[in-house]
Amino acid sequence: MSPVLAIHGGAGVILRASMTADMEAAYHEGLRTALQAGHAVLSKGGKALDAVVAAVMALEDDPLFNAGRGAVFNAEGRLEMDAAIMDGSDRRAGAIAGLCGPRNPILAAKAVMEKSDHVFFAGPGAAAFCRSAGLVMEDESYFRTERRWKSLQDELERRRTGQADDNDEARKHG
Amino acid sequence: TVGAVALDSAGHLAAATSTGGMTAKAEGRVGDSPVIGAGTWAEDNTCAISATGHGEIFIRHAVAHEISSRMRWGGQSLKKAAEGIIAEIAPLGGSGGLIAVDGEGNVSMPFNCSGMYRGVVRGDGSLETAIF
C-alpha cells in the first residue's frame, strides 16, 4: 500500500486578491513544511494517525494559519481553539473545544482519545484535562498575532458602523 | 481551519482537524468544523475526511460521516461522494470544502468557495501545493 497524505490550511481573512507574491510563497512553504512532516512519518512505515498529527502540528506552529499559534479572536477579543482527531482503524476519536492554552490543540484532542474514556471535552474542563495530561500550555499572548487582532478590529468596526458584509466566502469560516 | 488526512502503508486511515474558528465568532460557539462526524471522520475501508467551512451547515448535514455512508451504502466513489455533498450544501449556505482520502489512496479535495489552501504528498515524496 502506497501511503498518501493531504492537508488543508485556512488563512482566515487573507484574501487571494490581496496576497502579495512574498505572502503566497510563504503560504506554499508552510504547506510544504506540513506535508514533509507528515511524509516523514509515513515514509518510515509510521501510522496514519501519527502522520496527520505531525502535519497538523506544523500548521498549528505556523502563525500564517489560523489554528494554534495563529488562532483567531472571538467577538469578545478572546482566543478559543477547537480540534478533533479520529483513527480509522478502530474508530477511536477525541476532540476539544472552547479553550485557550494547549500549544498544539491537536495534541489535546489526541490526549482525549488516548488518555480518557471520553470523546469530547469543552471549556474549563478541557483546559484542566490538558494540564492533567501533561500537555504544554501557553498564555494567550503566545497565540496572539497582530494580524489576527487587526482582523478582529476590522470586523468589529464593520459591524459597529453597519457596513455591509462583502459576502466574501473566505471570511465565513475559520 | 487546518487539517490532514492520511493512508498509511498498513492500509489504515486517520483524520485530524484544528481551528481557531471564525474571526469575531460568538463566544462559546462551536460552529467550525472540528466536530466528529461533521468535519472530522476516519473509517478504514471507506475514507478519512477533514473539513473547513461554515460549521453549522457541516454539523447539520454530518458532512464527513455522510461521505463515508454514501461510499458504504451507496457504493459511490470517494470523488462522487465528496464532490456531491459539497455541491449540495453550497446553496444552503454551506460554504467551504474538505480533503478526503480513501482506502485505496485516492484523494479528493472539493470546495465551493475561495480562500482554500491545499497540499498532497504521495508515497514517492512528490509534493503538490495550491491556493485558491
Side-chain angles (χ1 to χ4, degrees):
Chain A
M1 186 73 67
S2 181
V4 62
L5 178 137
I7 59 172
H8 61 93
V13 296
I14 295 297
L15 306 179
R16 189 75 176 87
S18 62
M19 186 177 286
T20 66
D22 285 348
M23 290 169 66
E24 184 167 348
Y27 279 106
H28 279 290
E29 182 58 30
L31 293 170
R32 281 193 294 271
T33 297
L35 289 171
Q36 287 162 350
H39 181 68
V41 174
L42 294 173
S43 64
K44 296 173 184 167
K47 294 180 179 178
L49 185 74
D50 295 325
V52 295
V53 169
V56 169
M57 285 179 66
L59 294 166
E60 288 178 336
D61 290 341
D62 189 335
L64 290 176
F65 301 102
N66 60 349
R69 190 159 173 234
V72 300
F73 291 93
N74 66 22
E76 305 301 317
R78 287 190 285 273
L79 293 157
E80 293 181 4
M81 300 160 193
D82 312 327
I85 191 166
M86 188 163 182
D87 186 342
S89 68
D90 54 12
R91 285 186 178 237
R92 289 185 305 157
I96 52 101
L99 77 160
C100 181
R103 175 183 290 212
N104 289 107
I106 197 63
L107 290 182
K110 186 167 183 273
V112 172
M113 182 179 77
E114 294 180 336
K115 298 181 179 181
S116 83
D117 295 328
H118 312 295
V119 170
F120 207 145
F121 279 106
F129 173 82
C130 291
R131 284 190 286 271
S132 70
L135 296 176
V136 176
M137 304 293 279
E138 299 286 355
D139 292 334
E140 201 165 293
S141 60
Y142 173 80
F143 304 101
R144 176 190 168 120
T145 65
E146 280 308 303
R147 185 160 64 83
R148 300 295 178 196
W149 182 250
K150 184 176 185 309
S151 295
L152 173 67
Q153 301 310 313
D154 290 346
E155 174 61 14
L156 294 178
E157 178 65 12
R158 184 191 68 76
R159 294 179 185 181
R160 270 194 298 269
T161 57
Q163 295 174 50
D165 190 343
D166 64 6
N167 286 320
D168 190 299
E169 293 299 337
R171 294 182 189 273
K172 301 294 186 186
H173 45 79
Chain B
T1 304
V2 305
V5 295
L7 169 72
D8 64 28
S9 56
H12 297 306
L13 295 169
T17 315
S18 180
T19 188
M22 183 190 297
T23 298
K25 71 175 184 177
E27 187 172 25
R29 168 184 175 264
V30 182
D32 294 302
S33 297
V35 174
I36 301 297
T40 308
W41 188 257
E43 186 176 0
D44 279 9
N45 301 317
T46 57
C47 60
I49 309 291
S50 178
T52 178
H54 193 151
E56 280 77 2
I57 305 297
F58 280 70
I59 293 169
R60 290 172 188 149
H61 290 263
V63 164
H65 182 266
E66 176 70 12
I67 294 168
S68 177
S69 295
R70 291 182 185 195
M71 293 175 71
R72 279 187 292 123
W73 301 108
Q76 293 186 9
S77 67
L78 178 76
K79 177 181 170 66
K80 183 174 182 180
E83 292 182 354
I85 188 70
I86 288 298
E88 288 170 30
I89 63 173
L92 306 175
S95 71
L98 57 85
I99 54 172
V101 60
D102 68 13
E104 296 178 350
N106 298 302
V107 173
S108 181
M109 301 191 283
F111 53 87
N112 60 29
C113 64
S114 58
M116 293 284 112
Y117 299 64
R118 295 285 192 267
V120 61
V121 58
R122 313 244 174 220
D124 62 2
S126 59
L127 302 174
E128 295 174 61
T129 59
I131 300 173
F132 179 78

